[in-house]
Amino acid sequence: MRDDGATTMPPRSAPSRPPPWEALSLVANFLDAASLAAASCVSTSWHAAFSDDHLWARLCRCHYPSAIGLLPLSDSSVNAGDRRSSPHRGLFALFHSAASRGRSLPEPRLALADVTFAVDLFAAGGQNMLSFAVAACDAGVKKAPGGVFQFAVDVSDRNAVAGPGKHWSVRWTAVRTGLGVAPAAIVMMDAKLPASRAGALGSGVRGESWATEGLPAPGCGGGKLEAEAVVEVSGEERLVEKVRLGVLLDCRYVSVDEGLRYLQHFLL
Amino acid sequence: MAATPADASSSSSEAVVGGEKSNKMITLISSDGESFEATEEAAKMSVTIKHMIEDGCADDGIPLPNVPAKILSMVIEYCNKHAADADDTNKHVADPADADEDDDNNNNNASAGEKEDLKSFDASLVAVDQATLFDIILAANFLSIKGLLDLACQKVADDIKDKSVEEVREIFKIENDFTKEEEEAVRKENAWAFNE
């Protein structure tokens, strides 16, 4: 800022009187939308000058003309009660954000607490080896921050033995539970686990067998997910120690949110 | 300045009817009572003043109660400079038949040089403190001098563009008078603009 030399006032760094409202209004016509929005955060008088709905109506007409017909949309927004809000600015912001490709998806509407996993394990001959139901939030495996959609249940206290058969069958059902909601369920997998995968087990030796199966397509083009079940056994009689469940995409466990968003399609 | 009102009005109507650029001087009076002289041509860069002249109200000087002396002198400076430029441009355009190639080049070079000169004049005119700049905006708006209004507004806009909220407060010496809740609400309302 250059002192023009002709002034009779000494230069000073104290705050000068605030810019007059009409001057700000005139300047507003020279600002792009982002600068206008930022400038309205400076002070109450700047906010008043730069929130004028006519300014934003002009910007909408210029950048998002198709949005004008949707004006009633922004009237019913959260800010309807705020006398400072500008409907056209809300509309502009909506369409501006719509173009943003980097934004995150909304939170899943299903929570782990709403989901129960019911698992039935059968021997080759059809006998029920082991069954249990567990709340998803109680069985999580806390590896990565935020967690992956993988669950483990310790069943060693059940003393269930897999026996000598060539394979075991596992059926994993996800059920939506919760007070006051109609239950819904989907079978995640119904598959055979080859016993041979666990290897020859001597006393105290542990092995595991597993199987994966494609999950039903959720109907929005994301149909590549797989369910995985792993059964850990030990000893000659193959005592079932642990059952692990997970959902995979291209051999990577999906995140908890991704898993919940998948289940949303079927359980909500 | 002993002309009678009758003489003054007839000479001004002659100037209008004849279409000549008269060298008649117009007196402009600032809000603090200072008198300034400007050619009619320069004064007419203000549409407001132009109408007053044509309505015959300009004979005893034009009082401008909204414009202080400091600002009025800058406005007149602008008008003098730009009225002269408009005149020169008209002169160049007026003689196309006489122009040969050399003249054309010379004319082009001359107007390019003049344009540069005008640009740097404009830039230095608005290189002032914010308070003065806003006063210029108000005066240019009141006087309807589009070129000056655009120039001053663009300068302020350039000082706001692409700056953070804190930087703008610093440059314009604005105090943040939001309450904590208000500021939060306002930031939220405009959050989309910050995530570029």
Side-chain angles (χ1 to χ4, degrees):
Chain A
M1 290 186 294
R2 194 196 71 178
D3 184 22
D4 64 7
T7 184
T8 52
M9 294 187 299
R12 48 180 186 198
S13 56
S16 37
R17 59 190 161 81
W21 183 90
E22 310 102 301
L24 287 177
S25 252
L26 291 163
V27 170
N29 294 317
F30 289 76
L31 289 172
D32 57 284
S35 300
L36 201 60
S40 56
C41 297
V42 168
S43 76
T44 55
S45 54
W46 282 51
H47 184 267
F50 295 137
S51 296
D52 181 28
D53 202 48
H54 293 108
L55 286 173
W56 289 100
R58 179 177 57 86
L59 286 167
C60 277
R61 275 194 298 275
C62 178
H63 294 278
Y64 307 118
S66 60
I68 302 293
L70 298 173
L71 193 57
L73 249 192
S74 58
D75 276 347
S76 59
S77 72
V78 180
N79 289 330
D82 180 355
R83 62 187 154 77
R84 284 198 303 243
S85 76
S86 149
H88 280 96
R89 177 177 51 205
L91 207 56
F92 189 97
L94 183 69
F95 272 69
H96 178 92
S97 302
S100 157
R101 285 292 188 250
R103 61 184 188 164
S104 48
L105 292 169
E107 290 290 306
R109 286 172 295 131
L110 195 64
L112 280 180
D114 301 329
V115 180
T116 298
F117 295 141
V119 177
D120 295 299
L121 218 53
F122 298 96
Q127 310 93 311
N128 179 220
M129 226 194 314
L130 170 71
S131 289
F132 62 85
V134 64
C137 50
D138 291 338
V141 173
K142 299 257 186 277
K143 273 188 199 157
V148 289
F149 204 79
Q150 196 189 15
F151 307 87
V153 183
D154 190 330
V155 290
S156 50
D157 58 336
R158 301 284 293 272
N159 289 318
V161 290
K166 283 211 166 131
H167 68 262
W168 315 311
S169 297
V170 67
R171 186 176 58 219
W172 169 22
T173 309
V175 187
R176 186 195 177 192
T177 50
L179 294 171
V181 290
I186 180 151
V187 168
M188 303 290 276
M189 70 188 300
D190 194 349
K192 289 187 165 64
L193 282 69
S196 55
R197 276 195 177 143
L201 303 176
S203 154
V205 176
R206 282 195 178 212
E208 58 185 42
S209 180
W210 66 92
T212 60
E213 193 173 73
L215 281 165
C220 59
K224 295 271 203 68
L225 297 175
E226 290 182 311
E228 179 197 62
V230 180
V231 175
E232 279 179 44
V233 292
S234 70
E236 264 187 65
E237 71 268 321
R238 295 184 182 138
L239 178 73
V240 182
E241 300 276 0
K242 234 183 204 169
V243 175
R244 300 198 320 257
L245 308 167
V247 170
L248 300 155
L249 174 66
D250 294 336
C251 303
R252 163 191 74 91
Y253 290 109
V254 302
S255 70
V256 170
D257 278 359
E258 286 171 314
L260 287 170
R261 285 202 188 93
Y262 172 79
L263 287 177
Q264 247 174 232
H265 286 98
F266 299 101
L267 299 184
L268 276 186
Chain B
M1 292 304 216
T4 62
D7 285 346
S9 59
S10 63
S11 68
S12 76
S13 59
E14 269 177 28
V16 170
V17 167
E20 295 166 352
K21 296 276 189 297
S22 83
N23 285 326
K24 180 176 172 192
M25 298 304 284
I26 303 287
T27 305
L28 302 169
I29 306 162
S30 73
S31 60
D32 33 3
E34 230 180 286
S35 281
F36 295 85
E37 299 270 301
T39 63
E40 183 173 321
E41 194 192 328
K44 277 182 167 181
M45 290 214 66
S46 153
V47 176
T48 307
I49 292 177
K50 179 166 177 286
H51 288 155
M52 290 175 87
I53 293 174
E54 285 164 359
D55 290 348
C57 307
D59 306 332
D60 299 327
I62 302 178
L64 301 169
N66 296 359
V67 190
K70 171 185 164 184
I71 303 301
L72 187 52
S73 75
M74 295 172 83
V75 169
I76 290 172
E77 224 188 303
Y78 176 89
C79 294
N80 284 336
K81 187 82 178 176
H82 281 256
D85 171 65
D87 198 35
D88 287 345
T89 308
N90 290 341
K91 283 203 181 108
H92 284 140
V93 169
D95 311 327
D98 294 347
D100 60 20
E101 226 178 81
D102 282 339
D103 271 357
D104 265 351
N105 290 339
N106 287 340
N107 286 347
N108 286 340
N109 287 341
S111 31
E114 277 165 16
K115 276 192 171 60
E116 272 307 306
D117 179 46
L118 212 57
K119 265 178 84 176
S120 68
F121 167 82
D122 283 353
S124 59
L125 188 73
V126 290
V128 292
D129 62 282
Q130 300 300 336
T132 306
L133 206 46
F134 281 111
D135 284 339
I136 294 174
I137 290 175
L138 290 176
N141 185 45
F142 169 69
L143 295 169
S144 281
I145 307 174
K146 185 174 190 306
L148 181 58
L149 182 61
D150 288 353
L151 175 65
C153 284
Q154 186 63 62
K155 175 69 169 63
V156 175
D158 289 344
D159 285 341
I160 293 176
K161 271 191 184 73
D162 299 330
K163 302 261 184 356
S164 73
V165 175
E166 285 74 20
E167 281 172 323
V168 171
R169 285 190 187 130
E170 189 47 48
I171 291 171
F172 290 84
K173 305 278 190 286
I174 305 292
E175 207 192 302
N176 176 7
D177 57 349
F178 285 121
T179 64
K180 204 155 166 268
E181 294 77 22
E182 285 174 337
E183 180 155 17
E184 229 178 277
V186 164
R187 291 265 183 172
K188 193 166 162 212
E189 168 186 88
N190 293 293
W192 57 271
F194 296 105
N195 301 333
E196 294 286 287

